[in-house]
Amino acid sequence: MVQTRVRESVETRGRGDDAVTFDDVLAELEDRRTEFDEQRYVPKDFVERLKQVGIYRASTPAKFGGRPLPPAEFLDRIERISAVDGSTGWVASFGSALIYLAALPVETQAELYRNGPDVTFAAGLFPIQPAEATDSGFRVDGRWKFASGCMGADILGVGIPGDSSTGGKPRTALLSPDQVEIVQEWDVVGMRGTGSFDLVVRDTEVPREWTFIRGGEATVDEPLYRYPVIAYAAQVLAVVGSGVARAALDHAEQVGGGYAGVTGAPKLADRPHYRTRVASAEAELRSARAWFYDLSHEVWETVVAGDPATDEQNAHLRLASAHLAKTASDVVGDLVEISGTAPINRSHPLQRLLGDALVPKQHAFLGPAMYDSAGAVLMGLDPTTPGFQ
């Protein structure tokens, strides 16, 4: 049974450990990020370290032992991780994905968290694969892409079609890792260490109660599960880009005072255009971040007060997320442009950061179409992209 397999897969989950500090984990990450990049995934032992500092209980319902964080607090942690390593920040960001699982039946959630609140969930949702309905659930068979963090996951999800009962939204079917083949097909220039591999499932029946509607209404009544689900999913990815851009700016400011070109030209910090562009980049990133976090606090206050987030608030969250992702990518690109020939070396820090910063703004949740949908909603029209609200 799926329930038994899921229970067994989470029995060895990490527990919160107050002896391990967040700074300890960041220091270890700095030492190991090259390892993760070379093997193309964040290993399970480091995922356990993230569990120890609460990343994977930050979206678990309090009724099941979680310590759900206000979104802005969780986003700040992901941004700090991403400033050390974007790939690990991306994987850690899916600690927020447990808000999706709040749409499961309460009894299923109780089984899922039976052995503790620290659950790592990864999913390959697309392309949506057909799933034959059975008397008790769905028969799942197919291959899905981009399952970021799947190598360290306790439970995996795959995308199957919705039906008349889901309002057109797709379902996600949950499986234990031993029911899924992970195909390590992931050769990219950005976020290389995310382990965004393919998932393959062959002719496996998943009970209906172990499926949920992505973005569906939560069955748990706690403030975090009244926060806009898809908007939060966009925020956690956008803030990864912000952390990467912060690392690029820190690098540019540190080396600016000490680097001189091979031609004998003035060192970078003595060049007016370099100083000006770095200062402009600081202003752009900090401005985008301030709006992004201010909105998160505003919407959180709304849902804590017991009111639903408005369509306009959701549109602003989506817009601010897309804007932050684009700004972060532009900032890193600008810093590469003004840094002379040094960044053409494959080992140069800005090379890695340039690739990493590109990924969030290319994501479907954060691309140019979000501006169109946000504009439509703010003008009283329906959003122009599916799943916007």
Side-chain angles (χ1 to χ4, degrees):
M1 293 292 289
V2 171
Q3 296 96 321
T4 302
R5 285 197 173 100
V6 169
R7 181 170 67 245
E8 289 173 348
S9 75
V10 297
E11 281 182 345
T12 58
R13 290 198 300 262
R15 301 296 190 265
D17 184 351
D18 292 337
V20 178
T21 70
F22 192 65
D23 286 341
D24 290 338
V25 173
L26 294 182
E28 181 179 343
L29 176 58
E30 189 164 6
D31 289 339
R32 299 184 64 187
R33 62 190 179 192
T34 300
E35 168 198 337
F36 301 168
D37 185 77
E38 290 175 350
Q39 69 186 17
R40 297 180 297 149
Y41 65 90
V42 179
K44 202 170 185 67
D45 74 286
F46 196 80
V47 171
E48 293 296 323
R49 297 285 274 173
L50 295 172
K51 286 181 179 181
Q52 290 175 321
V53 292
I55 294 298
Y56 292 103
R57 62 176 57 189
S59 295
T60 300
K63 70 179 296 178
F64 297 120
R67 297 176 187 170
L69 290 177
E73 290 187 27
F74 183 78
L75 293 166
D76 175 73
R77 294 189 185 190
I78 298 306
E79 187 176 25
R80 290 175 62 193
I81 295 169
S82 303
V84 180
D85 180 53
S87 290
T88 304
W90 189 270
V91 170
S93 79
F94 291 102
S96 69
L98 297 185
I99 59 172
Y100 287 141
L101 305 191
L104 287 164
V106 173
E107 297 78 12
T108 303
Q109 293 183 60
E111 183 68 17
L112 181 67
Y113 299 117
R114 180 175 180 268
N115 293 291
D118 299 296
V119 174
T120 51
F121 169 56
L125 299 178
F126 298 100
I128 300 292
Q129 299 287 358
E132 176 190 353
T134 67
D135 290 342
S136 59
F138 302 91
R139 188 161 296 283
V140 177
D141 189 279
R143 180 167 177 161
W144 294 260
K145 302 195 74 64
F146 304 132
S148 300
C150 60
M151 297 296 286
D154 299 312
I155 187 166
L156 296 167
V158 295
I160 61 176
D163 52 35
S164 59
S165 69
T166 71
K169 294 179 179 178
R171 287 184 181 274
T172 300
L174 299 182
L175 303 107
S176 64
D178 67 355
Q179 295 175 295
V180 182
E181 177 189 358
I182 295 174
V183 181
Q184 296 188 20
E185 186 173 281
W186 181 243
D187 186 14
V188 291
V189 297
M191 301 292 180
R192 179 176 168 83
T194 59
S196 300
F197 301 138
D198 292 5
L199 303 182
V200 177
V201 180
R202 295 301 180 206
D203 195 28
T204 300
E205 186 172 20
V206 178
R208 180 175 290 269
E209 63 269 23
W210 285 88
T211 71
F212 63 90
I213 303 167
R214 191 165 68 98
E217 185 175 351
T219 58
V220 175
D221 186 19
E222 295 179 14
L224 184 59
Y225 312 105
R226 298 194 293 268
Y227 193 87
V229 176
I230 304 299
Y232 193 24
Q235 284 187 291
V236 299
L237 301 181
V239 84
V240 174
S242 179
V244 171
R246 179 71 264 160
L249 272 165
D250 289 347
H251 172 81
E253 291 164 9
Q254 290 165 6
V255 304
Y259 173 78
V262 296
T263 64
K267 63 185 179 183
L268 292 173
D270 290 336
R271 305 174 192 181
H273 76 276
Y274 187 85
R275 297 193 299 267
T276 301
R277 292 282 288 276
V278 168
S280 295
E282 276 283 2
E284 291 159 9
L285 182 63
R286 287 176 180 269
S287 297
R289 286 183 71 258
W291 182 38
F292 175 87
Y293 278 104
D294 281 350
L295 283 169
S296 189
H297 286 298
E298 174 194 318
V299 178
W300 179 244
E301 290 172 2
T302 297
V303 300
V304 167
D307 298 320
T310 66
D311 289 347
E312 290 75 14
Q313 285 178 318
N314 182 78
H316 278 294
L317 287 175
R318 299 300 302 270
L319 180 58
S321 297
H323 178 62
L324 180 59
K326 182 180 185 304
T327 299
S329 183
D330 290 348
V331 161
V332 182
D334 283 350
L335 296 176
V336 169
E337 184 178 324
I338 62 173
S339 295
T341 57
I344 69 173
N345 291 287
R346 292 176 64 89
S347 61
H348 194 278
L350 287 179
Q351 271 297 334
R352 174 178 56 85
L353 297 172
L354 182 65
D356 285 354
L358 178 66
V359 175
K361 80 166 185 176
Q362 299 297 108
H363 194 279
F365 281 176
L366 299 167
M370 296 305 104
Y371 290 82
D372 183 31
S373 277
V377 172
L378 296 177
M379 295 176 203
L381 305 175
D382 292 332
T384 55
T385 52
F388 186 77
Q389 294 176 315

